[in-house]
Amino acid sequence: MTSIPRVTVVIPVYNEGEAIVRCLDRIGREVLLPAEILVVHDMPEDTTVPYAQEVSRTDPRVRTVLNTYGRGPANAIRFGIDQARAPVAVVTMADGSDDPRQIDELARLVDRGVAVAAASRYMPGGQQVGGPRFKRMMSRWAGRTLHWFARVGTRDATNSFKAYDTEFVRQVGIESRTGFEIGLELSAKANRLRLPVAEIPTIWLDRQLGESRFDVGRFLPSYLRWYFFAFGRKLTYSQLAARAADETILEKENSTRG
């Protein structure tokens, strides 16, 4: 592939095995914009890799990339966006919960000038089917209150299925290191910069195969951190970049002590 893609699809994976074939086939059929599809894995022996590489033989848009930022979904997403060649990056899950028909629509919103385009389960026309009840309640409450009181431009700031202006992401940096809170972090940062955030309705389906690795007790503190960060005065790019740089320095210091 020599031409520059218009959208980079970032898919964090962990031992998805043969199930990734169906995911990639659906994305391959539905994404019509010039694209690259990055399957981001944490270890060379991940069971997803041979199946994704088999798909790449017939679809050159697909590429497996080894995440070198550290294990976990946040690092995989962070690494994938950093590797993106396109001006728009769309993060989607490998479990079939997201609707790949909406990838182009989300990317086009970013093309039109929004920093973050969210697929929203909680706006009119959206729906969430399945999933743990407590997690659904917390996510809906967070999305609605951020929309009402912090004026974030989406009612579903916690959903991972989002499109981002890659230049925006690179300027503000990503501080998340644990779970899937990157969607909330970048929505909050766009809000503090007073950049436009938009949404389209989506129908989210709970994963049909395997088990979710979302641990509410482990990830909740990170979500609360970014929830409260969304409220506040306008910030500048340099202020947000400085925060991200400080986080990186702290991370390296902690790693050295360890």
Side-chain angles (χ1 to χ4, degrees):
M1 188 189 333
T2 57
S3 61
I4 298 177
R6 287 181 58 190
V7 58
T8 297
V9 182
V10 176
I11 311 171
V13 299
Y14 180 77
N15 287 337
E16 304 293 338
E18 190 174 2
I20 195 64
V21 175
R22 183 180 180 186
C23 169
L24 293 174
D25 284 348
R26 291 177 66 220
I27 292 173
R29 286 196 311 270
E30 303 296 348
V31 175
L32 303 180
L33 291 172
E36 62 175 353
I37 303 168
L38 304 185
V39 179
V40 188
H41 55 100
D42 289 347
M43 49 190 181
E45 64 272 22
D46 191 297
T47 62
T48 315
V49 174
Y51 293 100
Q53 290 178 342
E54 183 65 28
V55 174
S56 72
R57 293 188 178 95
T58 56
D59 187 346
R61 296 174 298 176
V62 176
R63 181 158 55 96
T64 59
V65 291
L66 177 62
N67 162 34
T68 61
Y69 286 175
R71 293 195 175 190
N75 286 317
I77 293 170
R78 190 165 60 97
F79 184 83
I81 294 176
D82 278 354
Q83 296 297 306
R85 297 169 56 231
V88 181
V90 177
V91 175
T92 186
M93 298 298 107
D95 58 14
S97 57
D98 301 325
D99 186 349
R101 294 175 299 176
Q102 297 182 302
I103 290 174
D104 283 357
E105 189 175 0
L106 290 168
R108 288 191 177 101
L109 279 173
V110 176
D111 270 347
R112 292 173 58 191
V114 306
V116 179
S120 175
R121 299 162 289 184
Y122 308 133
M123 68 179 293
Q127 186 179 357
Q128 181 169 351
V129 180
R133 183 178 180 183
F134 178 72
K135 178 184 170 184
R136 294 201 315 267
M137 290 173 57
M138 290 292 293
S139 174
R140 183 183 293 270
W141 174 83
R144 287 184 171 179
T145 54
L146 285 173
H147 181 69
W148 291 336
F149 303 120
R151 302 296 180 91
V152 175
T154 173
R155 280 155 279 200
D156 198 353
T158 63
N159 196 359
S160 294
F161 188 25
K162 288 184 171 70
Y164 304 103
D165 180 322
T166 52
E167 184 60 27
F168 153 74
V169 177
R170 288 164 185 162
Q171 287 191 59
V172 303
I174 294 175
E175 299 168 51
S176 299
R177 297 292 187 270
T178 52
F180 296 95
E181 70 272 18
I182 284 175
L184 178 55
E185 174 187 344
L186 292 175
S187 298
K189 286 183 172 180
N191 194 55
R192 293 294 298 272
L193 286 168
R194 304 300 188 252
L195 296 176
V197 175
E199 63 180 357
I200 60 172
T202 194
I203 297 177
W204 182 94
L205 303 177
D206 191 28
R207 65 182 296 146
Q208 301 300 306
L209 298 174
E211 296 182 359
S212 170
R213 292 179 292 277
F214 186 89
D215 183 335
V216 173
R218 178 186 171 198
F219 297 151
L220 185 58
S222 298
Y223 276 85
L224 288 175
R225 171 193 178 191
W226 293 113
Y227 174 87
F228 290 112
F229 181 79
F231 296 85
R233 61 182 176 81
K234 182 178 179 180
L235 297 178
T236 65
Y237 276 106
S238 59
Q239 288 172 316
L240 287 178
R243 282 178 51 93
D246 289 343
E247 184 73 19
T248 300
I249 292 170
L250 181 61
E251 180 184 22
K252 289 180 179 178
E253 289 176 349
N254 290 336
S255 176
T256 301
R257 294 192 191 102

